[in-house]
Amino acid sequence: MQPVGGGIRRGGDLLIAAAAGIVAVPLGLLIVVLIRCTMGGPVLFRQTRTGRHGKEFDILKFRTMREKRYADEPDAPRITRLGTFLRTTSLDELPQLWNVARGEMGVIGPRPTLPEQVVHYTDRQRGRLAVRPGLTGWAQVRGRNSITWPERIELDLWYVEHRSLLLDLRILLLTAKVLLRPAGITAAGGVNPGFPVPAEPPARVVVPLIAPREAEEAAPSAVSPAAAGR
């Protein structure tokens, strides 16, 4: 099946976002009140992500961590009980319906990553930027954070090459299953794998060239000791 046309796909995104908004708006208001009561403001977390064709935008999420108590405090202890619940149920992603409405994201597509990760993409990996990033995607329903970044990117590339209406419907059904039985939210040990930054190539060792005459002078004499004594 050929990929769904851009206009039809965009219309479907808006229709799904509008339908989800009927439930999301009152639920979102309740979450706003709970965050304000437990953590104060701000309620939303904004972060720059890379979208279609490399265009950057601010992704929106409900805040799940309290402010740092000291400069080097790690993230894990800062996640509140409410924040853990929001992450486990993926309710922290609800504000991204606004990103969909603005056309920065679609309902289905590769999850948007950080610009500092994108700069390390290979030419092949940049193929995942050919479509709008999504609220959910093929990599999300095939392992999420329990698989490595290279594996996720390969799954996203497969989706870009094979996307169709039937595949999108399948992803929506699998997403519903994942939401009902959350899995892969964090990797083993509770820490998500970091993006593998390619190692810098080793520094080249420059060996100074020796001119032929200098090489001849530097080379050991080929004359035998006996001959040298004559």
Side-chain angles (χ1 to χ4, degrees):
M1 180 176 292
Q2 295 297 318
V4 183
I8 297 176
R9 185 176 294 276
R10 177 64 181 147
D13 287 341
L14 291 174
L15 184 62
I16 293 174
I22 296 174
V23 176
V25 169
L27 182 57
L29 290 175
L30 174 60
I31 294 172
V32 167
V33 172
L34 293 174
I35 292 175
R36 293 286 295 184
C37 291
T38 57
M39 288 185 283
V43 170
L44 293 178
F45 170 74
R46 301 170 184 266
Q47 189 178 54
T48 301
R49 298 289 181 98
T50 302
R52 188 182 184 190
H53 302 319
K55 184 177 180 181
E56 295 180 0
F57 68 99
D58 285 341
I59 196 172
L60 302 176
K61 294 186 180 186
F62 281 126
R63 188 166 151 235
T64 58
M65 294 191 293
R66 58 169 173 74
E67 296 292 338
K68 289 185 177 182
R69 291 173 179 164
Y70 51 91
D72 297 329
E73 185 178 15
D75 290 344
R78 297 170 52 213
I79 303 175
T80 65
R81 285 197 295 178
L82 174 61
T84 299
F85 173 77
L86 294 177
R87 291 188 179 197
T88 301
T89 57
S90 295
L91 290 175
D92 61 321
E93 312 280 358
L94 277 182
Q96 287 165 41
L97 289 172
W98 180 243
N99 291 121
V100 174
R102 288 171 54 89
E104 297 161 334
M105 294 177 61
V107 173
I108 299 172
R111 287 294 295 169
T113 48
L114 299 167
E116 54 264 36
Q117 297 173 337
V118 174
V119 296
H120 295 294
Y121 281 2
T122 64
D123 290 340
R124 169 177 165 73
Q125 290 174 333
R126 290 190 68 85
R128 76 192 297 273
L129 303 178
V131 300
R132 284 190 182 92
L135 297 175
T136 185
W138 188 235
Q140 294 299 103
V141 299
R142 301 286 291 183
R144 207 170 178 178
N145 290 319
S146 65
I147 57 179
T148 65
W149 269 107
E151 290 173 318
R152 272 184 268 179
I153 291 176
E154 285 302 314
L155 288 170
D156 288 333
L157 290 173
W158 185 90
Y159 168 77
V160 171
E161 294 169 1
H162 297 86
R163 68 177 185 153
S164 65
L165 178 59
L166 287 178
L167 180 57
D168 284 357
L169 289 175
R170 182 182 178 189
I171 291 172
L172 284 176
L173 291 174
L174 289 173
T175 299
K177 179 180 178 182
V178 169
L179 291 176
L180 292 173
R181 300 181 63 182
I185 298 172
T186 58
V191 179
N192 292 333
F195 188 85
V197 177
E200 294 184 4
R204 295 179 58 189
V205 178
V206 179
V207 179
L209 296 176
I210 302 177
R213 182 176 295 276
E214 293 173 345
E216 186 175 321
E217 294 174 354
S221 175
V223 181
S224 67
R230 286 188 302 178

